Amino acid sequence: MSGGRLAAIGITQPQWWVLHQVLHGESGVTREEVIAAQRANLDVGAGLAPDIDLLVERELIVVDEAGRLRITGEGRALHRRAAETQRANRAKVHADITDEEYLIALKVLQRMMHNAGGAASQPV
């Protein structure tokens, strides 16, 4: 997985998901919108709350007056570096594997981690 590659640039996979969601919310996004978007993908849901808090603490995202999350300039720069890392890793990992097969595999691995008592929001 790309967890190690992302860690090398100072971000975890769940934090990447949060930055990505916030970046693409033109008028900002709520915590609930970020969590709901990821719950639909990989069932991580509320497990993202600490990652959101850490990104706010690091000033990579901010909470505006309306309580919506917005990405900062530093957050955009980190998102760009992480996106480049993700693209390179995705090409390598996805060779001869469809997106559907990849998502199924991630969901199964996440359930296995949960069953074993692990934290599914941590990199494998």
Side-chain angles (χ1 to χ4, degrees), residues 18-88:
V18 171
L19 279 182
H20 193 73
Q21 290 296 315
V22 174
L23 176 71
H24 294 291
E26 289 185 26
S27 60
V29 294
T30 65
R31 289 173 165 271
E32 294 75 23
E33 289 168 336
V34 170
I35 290 168
Q38 292 312 310
R39 185 176 296 130
N41 289 332
L42 294 170
D43 303 326
V44 291
L48 288 177
D51 293 295
I52 294 170
D53 294 339
L54 184 60
L55 292 171
V56 170
E57 184 180 308
R58 290 178 60 192
E59 298 180 355
L60 297 169
I61 57 176
V62 294
V63 182
D64 69 15
E65 306 80 34
R68 299 182 73 76
L69 302 169
R70 296 184 181 276
I71 197 163
T72 65
E74 188 177 341
R76 284 180 191 280
L78 182 56
H79 179 273
R80 242 185 328 274
R81 288 192 308 276
E84 291 166 6
T85 299
Q86 291 291 73
R87 276 190 292 277

Side-chain angles (χ1 to χ4, degrees), residues 106-118:
L106 286 178
K107 287 183 177 184
V108 169
L109 289 171
Q110 186 179 52
R111 284 195 310 262
M112 290 171 67
M113 288 173 55
H114 176 75
N115 291 346

